[in-house]
Amino acid sequence: FVQIAEHFHLPIEFEIPKDYYSKDIVLGLRPENINEVLQSDPAHVDLEIDFIESIGSDTFIYGHIPETTLNLTARFPGKWLKAHSHQRRVSVTVRSN
């Protein structure tokens, strides 16, 4: 597992080369694999919304995980914005479709 935030881990298994043990590693995630979930989901992390971009069929949420330096971009259906425009945070998890 890869730890993203204090209580948030991704089920990814890979061997880190020895030369990178003490270095930061950048992990890329596809926005369409970041899904909204209930806060009661044990695999969630809260995303503080910095900017919302509506492009018709899709809504892109740009944000950060509070108390970290981690930024995430999530892609939700276009209709998401109409129902959630007042939100400043959203609970998300990472799942492949």
Side-chain angles (χ1 to χ4, degrees):
F1 288 90
V2 175
Q3 183 171 341
I4 300 297
E6 185 178 355
H7 300 289
F8 188 63
H9 300 83
L10 292 178
I12 299 173
E13 295 183 30
F14 63 93
E15 185 97 15
I16 297 174
K18 199 174 192 175
D19 293 344
Y20 290 89
Y21 280 2
S22 61
K23 297 180 182 178
D24 289 339
I25 297 174
V26 176
L27 177 65
L29 302 171
R30 294 183 182 270
E32 59 268 23
N33 290 39
I34 299 174
N35 307 110
E36 183 176 18
V37 293
L38 297 174
Q39 274 194 320
S40 60
D41 187 314
H44 89 278
V45 67
D46 288 327
L47 180 64
E48 181 94 18
I49 298 172
D50 296 322
F51 182 74
I52 299 174
E53 179 182 23
S54 177
I55 58 169
S57 63
D58 293 314
T59 297
F60 285 88
I61 306 298
Y62 302 90
H64 65 278
I65 299 173
E67 301 175 20
T68 73
T69 59
L70 301 173
N71 296 304
L72 288 178
T73 301
R75 185 174 118 192
F76 296 151
K79 61 185 176 183
W80 184 91
L81 181 59
K82 186 174 182 178
H84 301 88
S85 62
H86 63 283
Q87 285 186 232
R88 297 310 319 147
R89 280 189 181 203
V90 62
S91 294
V92 297
T93 194
V94 178
R95 293 195 179 105
S96 60
N97 296 336

